[in-house]
């Protein structure tokens, strides 16, 4: 619908008509035309001039546009490995996919737009669908589906799944703006099953120490019986014992070993299966233990007692790599004396208490140091003691700041999801100050104030020897508490602390070529990241270096020729089958061959096969929570037949534009002028 919407006053209308009338009268009152042509020409000129004058006031034309938006149906398919067994053999799987294909055609015939997705994203064709995903994150799939159809009329989603979720959030605690209909597939029967419920150990063990591996055996429907429990390292059986299990119980069994050599080791515990047990994949589990040769010694010096001190100690001691000592000025009786690998100076120097001679000597020593600032820090003194940045505070004011990582940071690997996690953590307290970054520094974290990202450094590392780091804010304890509340895991914070300490304490005096993996164990299909560093005689980073990596595994041997550069210091090894691997990296630096050895383990990704019992009750709850339907395989055809025709959503919008910009007005004025000219031409007066 279009209508005239003008701010033209009545007197403006009258003036337009008057000018048009006066112009036509002046032009044609004494013209030699016959009466009829004269009246026609008079009327055309009157209308033409009146319209032209009217357009000078730029009247507006309201255009009301209406359009219909077709609703969207999405078919979300759980294509995990457990679904491959839930649908049986490949013939049955093809038949069920054919039913989904027919549903897609029916929905399109009813006027719906149809989108088909799986756990990885949009499905290009039904023939490309493979049930091979190693984990099931249905919440992530529904969130991505919602994001990809933002702004669309996504009204209904059919989730095809067995309800077995082993990754991501629980969709029952999330809200969606569409109905989720669930097609429940699989077998809900609880068959007798004997399994390793859990298997865990310390991830890092000091060489020479004893450590425990703890296995829990679950008996579901197997009755009271005795079973064999074996502990293996590779193909070697380390211990075998007969254990008693009772119906419905979880029994705990402890193996104790001694770490006799340095390296990465994979231990597997197995329980003998029941006669006729259908699922034997969950009868074994593996764990990876890294044995290190020496604990590093860390001294935390502090000017005040603070919760951050406990947070630092807990984060470091949980790795098993460090021996942590404390000295709190004015509280501790005696300054510990030993050879330390790192000093952590918390809120030192203090602006209210001068440093003792012993502290001054220790802080001036050529040891790696991590300076952590706070409300009690004397920033002017600290600026003189380190060469990474200067902090010039504005009085005693503080800022509540968040943190974010830049893509340019290359000193060590940080988790891909770190920025997303940091946004959920509470702010730290940093001084309201002017920050000047010095050339020797590289920034790990910048400050974020509210939703505004800044270029003010928060967490800074230095490359010069001895290495130093500066964290300008206090409040790490809040990060650890909130991380546990949000994720039930503090590793996102502890890993930042641990990697900073690793970076500061890395032994550079003997080794000029370093290659390591970012962790000790990986799941099958996950890329293994090698991180490489090289230094010259002055221990300045080498900008370009070719090197080789010889990889030796139980099922694969490979040689890689890699090129280290300023921007490329991480290299991915992909498509590695499960097993234990060792590697030797070699490089020639100024005529001298440097060699680095290391190892890692690739574990079989079997979480999809640990539990094959379908969760129909969970799928029913999800459908009810979103207003959708719960459908079983035998009712699927009846359900799809009940789907009605698409009801489009009507949208209207108003748009204003100046009348002078309307194309038809130009052609109207042009037509009037042409007609007037043609009449005058015909009468012989042109």
């Amino acid at each position: 619908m279009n209508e005239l919407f003008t701010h033209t006053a009545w007197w403006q209308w009258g003036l337009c008509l008057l000018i048009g009338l006066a112009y036509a009268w002046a032009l044609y009152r004494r013209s030699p035309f016959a009466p009829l042509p004269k009246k026609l020409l008079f009327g055309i000129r009157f209308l033409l001039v009146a319209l032209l004058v009217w357009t000078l006031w730029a009247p507006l034309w309201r255009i009301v546009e209406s359009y219909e938006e077709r609703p969207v149906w999405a078919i979300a398919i759980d294509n995990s490995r457990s679904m491959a067994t839930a649908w049986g053999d490949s013939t049955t799987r093809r038949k069920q996919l054919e039913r989904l294909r027919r549903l897609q055609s029916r929905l399109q015939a009813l006027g719906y737009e149809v989108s088909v997705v799986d756990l990885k994203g949009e499905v290009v064709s039904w023939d490309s669908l493979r049930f091979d995903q190693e984990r099931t994150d249905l919440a992530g799939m529904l969130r991505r589906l919602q994001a990809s159809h933002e702004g669309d009329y996504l009204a209904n989603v059919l989730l095809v799944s067995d309800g077995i979720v082993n990754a991501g959030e629980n969709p029952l605690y999330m809200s969606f703006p569409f109905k989720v209909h669930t097609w429940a597939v699989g077998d809900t029967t609880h068959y007798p099953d004997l399994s390793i419920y859990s298997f865990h150990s310390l991830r890092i063990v000091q060489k020479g120490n004893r450590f425990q591996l703890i296995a829990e055996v679950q008996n579901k429907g197997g009755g009271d019986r005795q079973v064999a429990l074996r502990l293996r390292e590779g193909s070697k059986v380390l211990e075998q014992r007969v254990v008693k299990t009772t119906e419905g119980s979880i029994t705990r069994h402890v193996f104790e070993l001694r770490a006799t050599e340095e390296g990465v080791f994979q231990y597997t515990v197995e329980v003998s299966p029941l006669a006729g047990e259908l699922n034997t994949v969950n009868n074994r589990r593996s764990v990876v233990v890294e044995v290190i040769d020496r604990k590093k010694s860390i001294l935390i010096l502090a000017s005040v007692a603070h919760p951050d001190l406990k947070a630092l100690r807990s984060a470091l001691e949980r790795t098993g790599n460090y021996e942590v000592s404390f000295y709190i000025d004015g509280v501790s009786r005696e300054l510990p004396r030993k050879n330390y690998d790192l000093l952590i100076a918390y809120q030192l120097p203090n602006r209210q208490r001068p440093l003792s001679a012993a502290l001054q000597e220790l802080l001036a020593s050529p040891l790696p140091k991590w300076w952590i600032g706070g409300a009690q820090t004397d920033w002017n003194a600290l600026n003189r003691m380190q060469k990474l940045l200067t902090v010039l505070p504005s009085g005693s004011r503080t800022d509540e700041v968040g943190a974010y990582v830049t893509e340019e940071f290359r000193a060590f690997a940080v988790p891909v999801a770190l920025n997303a996690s940091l946004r959920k953590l509470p702010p730290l307290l940093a001084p309201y100050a002017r920050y000047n970054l010095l050339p020797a520094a590289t920034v790990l974290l910048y400050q974020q104030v509210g939703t505004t990202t800044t270029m003010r450094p928060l967490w800074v590392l230095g490359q010069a020897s001895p290495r130093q780091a500066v964290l300008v804010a206090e409040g790490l304890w809040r990060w650890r508490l909130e991380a546990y509340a949000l994720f039930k895991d503090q590793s996102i914070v502890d890993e930042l602390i641990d990697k900073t300490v690793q970076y500061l304490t890395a032994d550079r005096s003997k080794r000029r070529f370093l290659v390591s993996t970012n962790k000790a164990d990986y799941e099958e299909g996950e890329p293994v990241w090698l991180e490489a560093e090289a230094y010259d005689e002055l221990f300045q980073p080498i900008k370009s270096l070719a090197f080789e990596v010889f990889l030796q595994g139980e099922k694969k041997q490979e040689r890689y020729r890699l090129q280290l550069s300023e921007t490329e210091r991480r290299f991915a090894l992909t498509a590695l089958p499960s097993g234990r691997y060792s590697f030797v990296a070699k490089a020639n630096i100024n005529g001298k061959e440097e060699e680095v050895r290391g190892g890692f383990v690739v574990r079989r990704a079997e979480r999809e096969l640990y539990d094959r019992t379908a969760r129909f009750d969970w799928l029913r709850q999800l459908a009810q929570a979103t207003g959708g339907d719960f459908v079983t395989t035998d009712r699927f055809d009846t359900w799809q037949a009940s789907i009605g025709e698409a009801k489009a959503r009507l949208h209207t919008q108003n748009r204003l534009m100046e009348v002078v910009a309307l194309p038809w007005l130009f052609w109207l004025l042009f037509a009037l002028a042409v007609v007037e000219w043609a009449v005058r031409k015909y009468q012989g007066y042109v």
Side-chain angles (χ1 to χ4, degrees):
M1 179 179 67
N2 299 339
E3 61 181 22
L4 190 64
F5 178 80
T6 178
H7 297 290
T8 310
W10 64 269
W11 61 269
Q12 292 173 321
W13 282 103
L15 185 59
C16 294
L17 296 174
L18 184 60
I19 293 174
L21 187 63
Y23 194 101
W25 180 80
L27 183 63
Y28 289 109
R29 67 187 179 90
R30 293 181 178 177
S31 64
F33 297 104
L36 184 59
K38 183 176 181 178
K39 291 179 180 178
L40 178 61
L41 291 170
F42 181 91
I44 292 174
R45 180 55 62 103
F46 162 70
L47 185 59
L48 180 61
V49 173
L51 285 175
L52 284 171
V53 175
W54 176 59
T55 58
L56 294 177
W57 278 286
L60 301 177
W61 188 272
R62 177 188 286 132
I63 301 175
V64 182
E65 298 175 328
S66 300
Y67 66 93
E68 291 184 344
E69 184 182 15
R70 296 172 61 192
V72 178
W73 261 86
I75 302 175
I77 303 172
D78 172 4
N79 62 323
S80 60
R81 291 179 64 189
S82 65
M83 281 287 290
T85 59
W87 263 342
D89 56 26
S90 59
T91 302
T92 304
R93 211 157 43 241
R94 282 195 298 271
K95 289 181 179 178
Q96 303 301 349
L97 291 178
E98 182 58 34
R99 296 174 80 179
L100 287 173
R101 196 198 308 263
R102 290 198 299 270
L103 171 64
Q104 180 184 17
S105 300
R106 172 174 166 74
L107 290 171
Q108 290 170 339
L110 290 171
Y112 295 96
E113 292 184 14
V114 182
S115 171
V116 182
V117 299
D118 62 10
L119 290 169
K120 296 184 294 183
E122 188 172 355
V123 175
V124 178
S125 68
W126 290 100
D127 294 333
S128 67
L129 196 60
R130 298 290 182 269
F131 292 84
D132 56 0
Q133 295 301 293
E134 301 294 350
R135 58 184 66 191
T136 304
D137 180 5
L138 297 183
M141 177 169 64
L142 292 173
R143 279 290 188 225
R144 286 191 297 273
L145 185 61
Q146 180 181 352
S148 64
H149 287 280
E150 187 174 0
D152 296 338
Y153 182 18
L154 178 60
N156 295 276
V157 174
L158 174 63
L159 175 62
V160 185
S161 176
D162 54 10
I164 301 174
V165 178
N166 48 45
E169 301 177 63
N170 188 339
L172 287 177
Y173 303 116
M174 303 167 67
S175 60
F176 300 101
F178 45 76
K179 294 181 180 179
V180 179
H181 311 278
T182 55
W183 180 7
V185 300
D187 189 354
T188 59
T189 306
H190 292 275
Y191 294 100
D193 187 36
L194 202 61
S195 63
I196 302 297
Y197 182 74
S198 72
F199 184 42
H200 57 274
S201 173
L202 293 173
R203 300 297 299 270
I204 299 176
V205 178
Q206 174 68 22
K207 182 180 177 181
N209 289 353
R210 301 193 69 84
F211 65 99
Q212 293 182 338
L213 298 117
I214 302 171
E216 292 181 317
V217 179
Q218 184 177 38
N219 184 341
K220 294 195 298 186
D224 299 348
R225 61 178 61 238
Q226 290 185 331
V227 295
L229 190 65
R230 288 180 298 277
L231 177 68
R232 292 191 297 105
E233 193 244 312
S235 58
K236 179 183 178 182
V237 177
L238 301 179
E239 186 178 342
Q240 179 169 317
R241 61 179 72 166
V242 176
V243 299
K244 184 177 180 180
T245 66
T246 58
E247 171 67 38
S249 69
I250 297 177
T251 55
R252 185 172 183 267
H253 308 279
V254 179
F255 299 91
E256 190 168 291
L257 302 177
R258 181 181 292 278
T260 57
E261 58 180 299
E262 189 178 1
V264 179
F265 302 90
Q266 182 181 29
Y267 298 98
T268 303
V269 67
E270 299 175 333
V271 63
S272 56
L274 302 171
E277 187 175 350
L278 294 180
N279 183 16
T280 60
V281 173
N282 58 11
N283 288 52
R284 67 178 181 275
R285 280 187 188 258
S286 297
V287 71
V288 174
V289 176
E290 184 177 6
V291 179
I292 63 173
D293 191 29
R294 185 179 76 86
K295 288 187 177 180
K296 287 185 166 41
S297 185
I298 297 174
L299 175 60
I300 300 179
L301 302 167
S303 62
V304 291
H306 195 281
D308 279 354
L309 303 179
K310 175 68 181 302
L312 286 166
R313 183 173 194 164
S314 300
L316 293 171
E317 288 186 340
R318 71 186 288 273
T319 68
N321 284 347
Y322 311 105
E323 292 178 351
V324 183
S325 303
F326 274 109
Y327 177 78
I328 301 177
D329 195 20
V331 177
S332 302
R333 293 183 178 179
E334 186 178 352
L335 185 64
R337 295 287 184 178
K338 63 182 296 186
N339 293 324
Y340 293 104
D341 296 288
L342 175 67
L343 298 179
I344 300 179
Y346 187 82
Q347 301 203 35
L348 285 174
N350 190 290
R351 60 188 174 87
Q352 296 180 343
R353 184 186 303 117
L355 292 173
S356 65
L359 276 178
Q360 288 185 32
E361 180 185 354
L362 199 54
L363 292 177
S365 65
L367 288 173
K369 299 177 189 70
W370 184 5
W371 308 90
I372 302 179
Q376 301 299 317
T377 301
D378 182 346
W379 291 104
N380 292 326
L382 182 56
N383 292 340
R384 294 190 296 269
M385 300 180 77
Q386 49 80 30
K387 303 299 181 186
L388 301 182
L389 79 163
T390 58
V391 181
L392 304 173
S394 176
S396 58
R397 292 175 58 189
T398 59
D399 261 343
E400 291 189 345
V401 300
Y404 72 97
V405 186
T406 59
E407 296 180 358
E408 291 77 20
F409 182 74
R410 292 288 185 274
F412 52 74
V414 294
V416 175
L418 180 60
N419 274 331
S421 300
L422 288 174
R423 283 195 292 270
K424 300 178 182 179
L425 299 182
L428 303 179
L429 289 179
Y432 180 78
R434 189 169 77 250
Y435 296 83
N436 297 319
L437 200 65
L438 300 180
T442 180
V443 179
L444 169 59
L445 298 180
Y446 281 101
Q447 297 180 26
Q448 179 170 320
V449 181
T451 58
T452 304
T453 57
T454 74
M455 295 304 293
R456 296 188 303 202
L458 174 66
W459 197 313
V460 179
L461 306 174
Q463 293 186 352
S465 183
R467 287 191 168 180
Q468 298 193 48
V470 179
L471 171 59
V472 301
E474 59 181 281
L476 287 174
W477 67 276
R478 293 191 184 93
W479 274 13
R480 293 188 85 242
L481 284 178
E482 187 67 16
Y484 186 80
L486 291 173
F487 314 119
K488 304 303 180 189
D489 185 8
Q490 297 166 319
S491 61
I492 195 71
V493 181
D494 292 353
E495 188 174 350
L496 275 177
I497 296 172
D498 182 42
K499 282 187 174 289
T500 299
V501 171
Q502 286 183 45
Y503 179 82
L504 295 173
T505 59
D507 184 6
R508 311 288 166 178
S509 60
K510 297 178 182 178
R511 300 165 71 178
R512 293 163 49 200
F513 179 52
L514 301 166
V515 177
S516 61
T517 57
N518 61 330
K519 56 183 181 178
D521 67 301
Y522 302 83
E523 277 194 355
E524 204 169 23
E526 183 182 3
V528 175
W529 287 97
L530 293 180
E531 301 171 2
E533 299 177 59
Y535 299 86
D536 60 19
E537 290 84 351
L538 299 178
F539 286 93
Q540 298 297 316
I542 294 176
K543 296 182 179 180
S544 179
L545 179 71
F547 66 98
E548 290 187 327
V549 175
F550 303 89
L551 184 67
Q552 177 72 43
E554 299 165 1
K555 303 175 184 177
K556 183 171 183 176
Q557 299 179 17
E558 196 73 57
R559 173 181 293 188
Y560 302 90
R561 290 181 172 85
L562 305 174
Q563 181 69 40
L564 183 68
S565 68
E566 285 186 281
T567 58
E568 197 67 43
R569 296 184 176 272
R570 302 179 70 221
F571 307 91
L573 310 182
T574 58
L576 297 180
S578 60
R580 180 179 172 183
Y581 291 85
S582 62
F583 66 84
V584 178
K586 294 182 178 181
N588 190 294
I589 301 179
N590 294 337
K592 182 181 178 182
E593 186 173 89
E594 300 281 347
E595 181 177 294
V596 179
R597 295 178 180 270
F600 58 89
V601 169
V602 177
R603 294 179 283 107
R604 294 184 64 183
E606 295 177 331
R607 66 173 67 189
E608 275 294 317
L609 303 180
Y610 280 135
D611 188 356
R612 301 186 188 178
T613 304
R615 302 286 191 270
F616 282 18
D617 54 342
W618 182 88
L619 292 170
R620 184 180 287 106
Q621 291 177 47
L622 179 60
Q624 291 173 349
T626 59
D629 300 323
F630 172 76
V631 185
T632 54
T633 300
D634 57 335
R635 292 183 54 247
F636 181 77
D637 292 334
T638 304
W639 171 78
Q640 72 161 323
S642 67
I643 300 174
E645 289 188 6
K647 295 181 179 180
R649 188 163 57 182
L650 182 65
H651 295 271
T652 59
Q653 64 180 16
N654 292 336
R655 184 162 56 91
L656 296 177
M657 66 182 300
E658 292 184 359
V659 169
V660 72
L662 294 172
W664 59 263
L665 179 61
F666 166 78
W667 292 111
L668 174 62
L669 296 173
F670 180 75
L672 290 173
V674 169
V675 170
E676 184 183 9
W677 178 86
V679 172
R680 290 171 65 93
K681 179 72 173 176
Y682 182 77
Q683 295 293 321
Y685 289 95
V686 174

